[in-house]
């Protein structure tokens, strides 16, 4: 008897475990565009378009490879509206009695599939380098979890940038060489862009009609939607941008939204690129002498280190992880995150770019929008839902640990050993945002003082009990304590007034 093989919108990999386990001569692939997946947050229109276009092209590829693919488009009249509903409908249609499923990247969907009225066999998603069991074994017996040590294990496991049992160039981590401020000029024209073909245009018309009122611009749409295109985009990055990726990883520029970043996270996350293959390509470029070690190591660390680590934590901590609120933050997400007016130029530019591109690089997410949300005490669940909605690459297994854990410290320090907060000085050093801002980054208090300068101390002061004994924060508290009492009082009063204005919906 035939079986169904579910392929989700972020499982577009020919080597997917469910496909490997199935037989194209007798089993039937099910793919479906459904409102339950388009509506669990108000996804950016570009994200929906990428997923639908890539799904449609992947289905065509599977058909070419001999598979019987039952594909449901969003506006098909028979559409059951959910993944489980579609499996049930296809089972009735074909007489199949079981569905093979590669484990989804979200507890919500795993739970639904486990409780589906059709038998489901859930297989591991082995597109990742570490299995759940390997991650759990690594965690076993450790008091504190730190990405760096997990990363070293992944280097040993993959052999990437290894010279025997030693790391290439004698160091595991070149993070100290990844922090140059924004360069005057960027000699990279940005990620490779693709002209929409007929399939993409059809999807764009659908998304425009159905999701045109979501936050963000659908057009221009230039993303890769097949494995072949994604590979070309990767080659373009490796040859043109990677050599300088390491130096300027943390820099931000108003007029250059991508700097030397790869802009491939969405391609990896939906399955168009294989993470290990990506790293092997980078390691080859290093071995050939085309890229320096700080670039190759800095890049590979992000993928076999951070990306794998985030997934490990998401599955280790279980479905309640996203509800974390260790700092008790409860303020509503302000309208400025949805494009509402603000005089804070760094925030305005980061949000503007997010709306236009469905993309912001790591430091923009962490040290502009994330930093502000944390300092201002925004409810981390609302922050999480925002990040899940607005970025092209956002899937809960990777977005939640980055947001709830790394950015908002809402998991109480599982991921980050200290909160990622900064005053305006850091933003000014790493970007050009402060030039032309209505606020003055050098002003600490008084009319026009940069809000980051006020909120930074307000945050440290209100969470003193939690952080005062954190060895990595001692310097900050000593600096605060050395200020005279009047000054401290002024800072707290001005920060509180700012937060009141923010809460009342005034333009800040
Ligand atoms: P590059 O800077 O060129 O890095 C190369 C690759 O490394 C990326 O493509 C990505 O696959 C991987 N990578 C880098 N940093 C991380 C990280 N912290 N976690 C996981 N992978 C990483 N990344 C997502 O893929 N999806 C998300 O939903 C997501 N949400 C985030 C939310 C917040 C608050 C923060 C601070 C970070 C988030 N990240 C997320 C991580 C990171 O910002 C993006 O992976 C990166 O910006 C993608 O752009 P890029 O491809 O140009 O990456
Ligand atoms: C994100 C997304 C969207 C917008 N739409 C679909 C869809 O219609 N069909 C589908 O199979 N997958 C979609 N996805 C991706 C899923 O939400 C994703 O598989 C889960 O969040 C698990 O990572
Ligand atoms: Fe942002 Fe402050 Fe700089 Fe303005 S002055 S851009 S608010 S850091």
């Amino acid at each position: 008897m035939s079986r169904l093989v579910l392929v989700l919108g972020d499982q577009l990999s020919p080597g997917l475990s469910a496909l490997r386990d199935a037989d194209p001569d007798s089993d039937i692939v099910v793919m479906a565009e459904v409102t339950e997946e388009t509506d669990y947050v108000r996804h950016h229109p570009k994200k929906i378009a990428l997923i639908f276009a890539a799904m449609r092209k992947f289905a065509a590829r599977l058909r070419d490879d001999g598979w019987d693919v039952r594909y449901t488009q969003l506006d098909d009249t028979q559409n059951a509206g959910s993944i489980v509903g579609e499996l049930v409908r296809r089972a009735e249609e074909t007489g199949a009695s079981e569905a093979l499923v590669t484990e989804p990247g979200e507890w919500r969907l795993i739970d639904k599939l486990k409780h589906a009225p059709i038998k489901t066999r859930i297989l591991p998603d082995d597109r990742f380098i570490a299995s759940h069991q390997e991650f759990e074994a690594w965690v076993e017996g450790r008091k504190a979890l730190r990405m760096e040590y997990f990363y070293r294990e992944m280097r040993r496991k993959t052999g990437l940038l290894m010279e025997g049992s030693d790391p290439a160039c004698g160091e595991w981590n070149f993070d100290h060489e990844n922090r140059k401020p924004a360069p005057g000029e960027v000699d990279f024209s940005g990620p490779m862009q693709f002209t929409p073909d007929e399939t993409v245009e059809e999807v764009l018309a659908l998304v425009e009609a159905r999701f045109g009122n979501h936050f963000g611009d659908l057009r221009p749409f230039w993303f890769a939607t097949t494995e072949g295109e994604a590979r070309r985009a990767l080659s373009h990055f490796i040859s043109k941008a990677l050599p300088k990726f390491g130096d300027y990883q943390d820099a931000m520029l108003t007029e250059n939204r991508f700097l030397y970043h790869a802009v491939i996270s969405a391609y990896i996350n939906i399955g168009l690129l294989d993470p290990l293959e990506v790293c092997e390509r980078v390691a080859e470029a290093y071995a050939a002498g085309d890229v320096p070690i700080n670039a190759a190591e800095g890049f590979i660390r992000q993928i076999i280190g951070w990306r794998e680590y985030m997934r490990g934590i998401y599955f280790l901590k279980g479905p309640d992880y996203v509800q974390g609120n260790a700092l008790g933050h409860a303020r509503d997400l302000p309208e400025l995150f949805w494009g509402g007016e603000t005089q804070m130029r760094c925030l305005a530019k980061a949000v503007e770019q997010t709306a236009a591109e469905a993309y912001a690089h790591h430091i923009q997410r962490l040290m502009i929008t994330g930093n502000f949300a944390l300092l201002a005490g925004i409810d981390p669940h609302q922050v999480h839902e925002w990040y899940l909605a607005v970025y092209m690459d956002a899937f809960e297994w990777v977005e939640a640990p980055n947001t709830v854990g790394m950015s908002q410290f809402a998991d109480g320090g599982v991921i980050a050993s200290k909160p990622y907060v900064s005053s305006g000085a850091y933003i000014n050093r790493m970007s050009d945002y402060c030039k032309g801002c209505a606020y003055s980054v050098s002003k600490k208090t008084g009319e026009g003082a940069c809000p980051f300068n006020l909120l930074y101390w307000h945050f440290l002061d209100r969470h003193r009990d939690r952080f005062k004994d954190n060895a990595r924060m001692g310097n900050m508290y000593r600096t605060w304590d050395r200020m005279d009492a009047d000054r401290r009082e002024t800072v707290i009063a001005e920060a509180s007034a700012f937060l009141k204005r923010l809460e009342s919906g005034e333009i800040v």
Side-chain angles (χ1 to χ4, degrees), residues 279-293:
C279 292
E280 283 165 353
R281 294 277 315 277
V282 168
E284 279 161 21
Y286 167 70
D290 296 338
V291 299
I293 186 70

Side-chain angles (χ1 to χ4, degrees), residues 394-445:
F395 298 90
E396 199 177 88
W397 64 267
V398 56
E399 175 279 328
N402 268 297
T403 305
V404 175
M406 180 186 271
S407 166
Q408 299 302 297
F409 206 83
D411 64 2
V414 174
I415 293 214
S417 55
K418 73 173 185 53
Y420 282 95
V421 285
S422 82
S423 66
Y426 172 85
I427 297 172
N428 191 34
R429 186 164 70 251
M430 299 311 294
S431 79
D432 62 356
Y433 292 138
C434 299
K435 290 185 198 103
C437 180
Y439 293 104
S440 164
V441 71
S442 58
K443 271 195 99 174
K444 309 284 191 262
T445 55

Side-chain angles (χ1 to χ4, degrees), residues 372-383:
F372 181 77
L374 179 57
L375 293 179
I378 313 290
D379 170 5
H381 199 73
Q382 294 185 35
V383 181

Side-chain angles (χ1 to χ4, degrees), residues 126-129 151 154-162 231 234-235 237-239 242 264 268 273-291 295-297 299-305 308:
D126 52 14
R127 296 173 299 168
F128 292 89
I129 292 149
Y151 164 56
M154 293 299 101
R155 288 273 294 276
R156 290 191 189 98
K157 178 175 178 181
T158 57
L160 287 162
L161 302 182
M162 294 297 290
R231 284 188 175 186
L234 173 67
S235 299
F237 162 72
I238 291 177
S239 61
L242 181 60
I264 57 163
I268 302 180
L273 290 177
D274 177 74
L276 187 57
E277 255 180 65
V278 168
C279 292
E280 283 165 353
R281 294 277 315 277
V282 168
E284 279 161 21
Y286 167 70
D290 296 338
V291 299
E297 188 283 319
F299 187 85
I300 286 173
R301 182 179 355 115
Q302 306 309 318
I303 294 189
I304 67 168
E308 293 286 326

Side-chain angles (χ1 to χ4, degrees), residues 74-151:
L74 192 71
D75 46 12
D76 284 352
T77 49
Q78 308 280 304
N79 193 322
S82 68
I83 295 296
V84 169
E86 278 295 297
L87 282 178
V88 170
R89 185 169 78 85
R90 295 301 190 183
E92 282 164 4
E93 180 181 285
T94 59
S97 58
E98 187 189 18
L100 294 179
V101 177
T102 294
E103 184 184 71
E106 204 180 330
W107 288 111
R108 170 189 62 85
L109 203 47
I110 294 175
D111 189 56
K112 283 183 192 291
L113 285 161
K114 279 192 176 155
H115 295 100
I118 171 177
K119 193 171 152 209
T120 52
R121 189 145 69 82
I122 300 186
L123 303 165
D125 188 348
D126 52 14
R127 296 173 299 168
F128 292 89
I129 292 149
S131 67
H132 296 331
Q133 292 75 15
E134 276 175 295
F135 193 79
E136 283 158 18
W138 176 78
V139 165
E140 189 75 29
R142 279 170 203 268
K143 276 205 201 97
L145 305 181
R146 287 297 158 243
M147 194 288 292
E148 177 63 24
Y149 298 105
F150 170 77
Y151 164 56

